[in-house]
Amino acid sequence: MTETLLRIDRLQRAAADWNHRFSLFRVPGRVNLIGEHTDYNNCPVLPMAVDRDILALAAPREDQTVMIRDANPVFGGLSFKLDYEITPFPTGSWGNYFKAGIQEMIDSWRDLPYDIEALRGFDMVIDSTIPPAAGMSSSSALVVLGAMAFLSSNGIEISDSGQRLLLADLCAQGERYTGTQGGGMDQAAILLAERGSALKIDFHPLRTQPVKLPEGYRIVIAHSTVEAPKTQQTMEAYNRRSVECRLAASLIGRFLERTYGIDGIGYIGDLTTEKTGLTPHQLAEAADQAVLPSPYRIPRLAESLGVSLREAEQMVGSMGKRDFIEPDDGYQVHRRLAHVLSEWSRVEQSAEALEQGDAQRFGEYMNASHASCRDLHEISCPELDELTEISREAGAVGSRLTGAGFGGCTVNLVENRRLASYFREVGERYYRCSKGLEQWDRHLFAVDPADGAALLEKDIP
Ligand code: GLA
């Protein structure tokens, strides 16, 4: 039996007492090749869906209960009731990702009945091969799966690309239910990916373009073994960066308003010639003049933005969707802006390099991206830095952290003919010597670009 059939068999056994006819869903994880912490600025990203995924059997129920089991008995199960406002589980529960996707559908999917009593819950059993807390979007995969299974249980199947785009946008918005102020990369990669290609994604409006990977190379994932769950500290550190970037946009927006009478700048991604009518040179100058190198505190923010102290605090609070708390070292607006602007241009240039099959050039952008993530956005950690260095020495043409950072995985571009020695050297030096591990296959593996999420089959006993 192939691995997929074995997994389906395991799912069927775990669901045997339910006595339904099930639908089979597959929802992939994703790895971001380049464009880190750019999506929440409406700047582009270049990820791919991977052949690590969640398989799930789901069937509608007559009532409003949602019941989910993991085929792996370690995680157990959970259940909740559909409602106009579904109360979250305690922070950190994986069930909140399901609730996030479903809540957003209840709030926003237009063809659903408005009356909660008319909606149907579902029974579901899942089996995942996406490493959790690794920066491979295991959580967004749950959001998308929850939304798709809920829609399907209520007679709505996602068929055309317009619906997929809408669902991706809604799932991105919906995931904020869990407390992260994330962008839309993960949900878009998961829903819009095409087998065999990476995906350049632009936002606002959401649009995608498949990008071929260079022939003769593989994408290799290496987990630092530092877990970075999107809860507590990591979430705070992530959300802080999103606020700092919004502050950069506000400061530049204010400058453009005063200097050129241009308004409507909400995100760094709005700083384009099309939106402002300014040349790239004028935009770069505006950014330079509007955002000063030293960290920002409330008094200087208030003065630069032309608002009162109280208004500045409220503004920062609403950007972070929480009460205002100033970081001890102040807001690092200048560094974050420098990261996002340079990363944005690396994404555009990477897409070009990949179109031309230029693996070496793409690898250089990956390496530069890691340095910028480490020094300017400050989302790396010593383990990720060590792992990327060892990877390059072991022959990767490009190596960088991937995903939210603060731990999790690196993504590496490795030539096929160097794969065996690459695996050997990274295994020995990082996993055996640094981490004291004897086995590392589950941490170090190659992935291929996979299809987006889909309902694969119906009517399964
Ligand atoms: C997480 C978020 C994404 C994106 C990445 C960083 O995965 O969910 O929206 O911001 O971090 O690039």
Side-chain angles (χ1 to χ4, degrees):
M1 260 206 259
T2 67
E3 204 212 319
T4 306
L5 288 178
L6 280 172
R7 289 172 68 199
I8 295 173
D9 185 58
R10 188 158 63 227
L11 287 171
Q12 280 176 304
R13 273 186 283 124
D17 58 313
W18 271 331
N19 219 359
H20 294 302
R21 311 292 291 182
F22 290 98
S23 296
L24 174 66
F25 293 87
R26 174 184 171 276
V27 182
R30 67 96 187 92
V31 58
N32 190 17
L33 302 180
I34 196 159
E36 221 59 87
H37 285 245
T38 48
D39 62 350
Y40 53 76
N41 295 291
N42 284 343
C43 300
V45 290
L46 213 170
M48 68 184 214
V50 294
D51 46 358
R52 296 279 175 133
D53 53 32
I54 305 176
L55 284 183
L57 289 178
R61 292 172 59 105
E62 296 302 325
D63 61 11
Q64 285 77 47
T65 300
V66 173
M67 217 179 250
I68 301 159
R69 287 181 188 164
D70 193 324
N72 177 353
V74 178
F75 295 110
L78 47 87
S79 73
F80 59 91
K81 282 227 161 242
L82 301 178
D83 205 341
Y84 296 105
E85 278 188 32
I86 307 172
T87 315
F89 290 120
T91 313
S93 163
W94 55 278
N96 282 336
Y97 294 106
F98 279 101
K99 289 187 170 181
I102 295 170
Q103 179 74 66
E104 186 63 33
M105 295 306 110
I106 293 177
D107 292 346
S108 313
W109 197 274
R110 278 198 302 169
D111 304 335
L112 284 171
Y114 179 68
D115 182 6
I116 272 290
E117 304 290 316
L119 292 173
R120 302 174 80 184
F122 55 87
D123 288 330
M124 176 189 267
V125 53
I126 62 173
D127 177 72
S128 178
T129 55
I130 312 173
M136 293 186 70
S137 277
S138 56
S139 40
S140 301
L142 295 178
V143 176
V144 171
L145 175 61
M148 285 178 82
F150 173 67
L151 290 179
S152 159
S153 299
N154 287 282
I156 296 169
E157 262 150 43
I158 302 303
S159 44
D160 59 39
S161 62
Q163 279 182 318
R164 277 186 179 262
L165 283 166
L166 175 63
L167 186 60
D169 260 340
L170 292 178
C171 284
Q173 208 168 291
E175 193 164 326
R176 303 205 175 127
Y177 172 96
T178 64
T180 37
Q181 298 299 311
M185 162 169 69
D186 308 344
Q187 304 77 5
I190 289 170
L191 275 155
L192 303 162
E194 293 174 29
R195 184 187 298 250
S197 294
L199 207 61
K200 169 153 186 275
I201 304 174
D202 286 274
F203 300 96
H204 203 66
L206 180 59
R207 56 212 187 274
T208 62
Q209 169 204 334
V211 179
K212 283 269 172 253
L213 293 176
E215 300 246 331
Y217 288 81
R218 289 294 289 283
I219 299 295
V220 178
I221 306 287
H223 196 318
S224 64
T225 72
V226 178
E227 295 224 328
K230 261 204 219 153
T231 49
Q232 291 113 22
Q233 267 174 317
T234 313
M235 180 151 80
E236 302 256 317
Y238 179 95
N239 288 348
R240 170 185 169 173
R241 277 147 186 82
S242 142
V243 169
E244 288 168 324
C245 291
R246 293 287 302 276
L247 288 176
S250 303
L251 289 164
I252 300 169
R254 170 85 180 155
F255 179 90
L256 293 181
E257 204 181 313
R258 282 209 210 125
T259 318
Y260 299 102
I262 295 169
D263 58 11
I265 304 297
Y267 295 90
I268 297 175
D270 293 331
L271 301 171
T272 60
T273 300
E274 299 80 71
K275 287 208 173 119
T276 61
L278 299 178
T279 64
H281 179 72
Q282 284 172 312
L283 286 168
E285 274 207 328
D288 252 8
Q289 293 190 29
V291 178
L292 303 177
S294 55
Y296 278 78
R297 296 189 177 279
I298 285 297
R300 187 145 64 93
L301 271 177
E303 194 195 322
S304 312
L305 295 171
V307 297
S308 70
L309 291 179
R310 180 87 195 105
E311 281 166 338
E313 284 184 7
Q314 277 170 347
M315 198 169 152
V316 175
S318 78
M319 284 174 181
K321 298 276 182 298
R322 52 174 289 167
D323 289 340
F324 159 76
I325 304 173
E326 189 177 83
D328 291 344
D329 55 343
Y331 291 102
Q332 303 292 339
V333 184
H334 193 265
R335 272 186 234 159
R336 310 301 185 239
L337 175 66
H339 167 72
V340 175
L341 290 177
S342 62
E343 188 75 352
W344 179 358
S345 106
R346 279 186 291 272
V347 172
E348 302 291 358
Q349 288 173 304
S350 293
E352 262 174 45
L354 287 172
E355 287 298 337
Q356 293 159 3
D358 192 340
Q360 291 296 329
R361 208 173 121 213
F362 175 51
E364 281 159 26
Y365 296 134
M366 291 175 80
N367 295 335
S369 165
H370 184 80
S372 178
C373 287
R374 181 191 60 211
D375 303 335
L376 297 174
H377 225 54
E378 299 173 289
I379 53 170
S380 190
C381 64
E383 292 82 354
L384 286 168
D385 295 339
E386 184 190 352
L387 185 51
T388 50
E389 267 162 42
I390 293 179
S391 274
R392 285 178 211 123
E393 285 164 15
V397 297
S399 180
R400 53 180 297 280
L401 67 84
T402 183
F406 312 106
C409 292
T410 63
V411 56
N412 309 278
L413 183 68
V414 184
E415 209 177 341
N416 285 346
R417 61 185 181 87
R418 303 196 68 161
L419 267 180
S421 61
Y422 171 84
F423 276 100
R424 219 173 18 250
E425 188 170 338
V426 175
E428 281 298 323
R429 287 179 58 192
Y430 186 75
Y431 293 102
R432 194 194 298 279
C433 294
S434 268
K435 293 281 148 244
L437 293 170
E438 291 305 317
Q439 295 281 328
W440 48 81
D441 348 343
R442 100 191 149 81
H443 299 307
L444 182 66
F445 50 88
V447 286
D448 289 312
D451 259 330
L455 196 174
L456 297 180
E457 214 179 309
K458 284 181 173 177
D459 219 20
I460 298 179

